[in-house]
Amino acid sequence: MTSLSFSDFRKNMASSFDLVDAGERVYINRGSRKMYAIIPVGDGDLTITPALEAKIEKARQEYRDGQTLHFENAAAAQKWMDEL
């Protein structure tokens, strides 16, 4: 894992991307409270394939049929998880 300040990232962009291409995790710190990760994105990540479209439609149908969990708020979801 490599963690860089934003200034160091700007100075070393090419080598940062080389690290990511080699499988290294690279994080960029911006200020004291913000952190970002660099991840590679392939062509398949930018399109919805027919297989993914079918999965999405199946999930939508399950939702319409009432076959999914639904919580009114985060507290209700947490309560459900605590009872497992």
Side-chain angles (χ1 to χ4, degrees):
M1 179 183 95
T2 300
S3 182
L4 303 167
S5 69
F6 184 71
S7 297
D8 288 339
F9 170 68
R10 282 192 318 189
K11 293 174 192 171
N12 302 297
M13 275 194 232
S15 62
S16 298
F17 290 122
D18 290 342
L19 288 171
V20 172
D21 289 339
E24 180 81 18
R25 291 182 183 184
V26 176
Y27 299 98
I28 302 162
N29 299 303
R30 187 174 182 203
S32 62
R33 295 184 154 202
K34 294 181 181 178
M35 181 182 279
Y36 302 86
I38 302 175
I39 59 168
V41 177
D43 288 339
D45 298 325
L46 301 175
T47 59
I48 297 178
T49 63
L52 179 56
E53 191 171 343
K55 287 180 182 180
I56 292 169
E57 184 50 41
K58 181 178 182 246
R60 286 179 175 154
Q61 188 61 48
E62 288 172 353
Y63 178 79
R64 285 190 294 266
D65 293 343
Q67 298 174 351
T68 60
L69 295 174
H70 175 78
F71 302 101
E72 293 299 321
N73 53 50
Q78 186 63 53
K79 181 178 182 278
W80 180 82
M81 289 176 28
D82 290 341
E83 292 174 354
L84 289 176

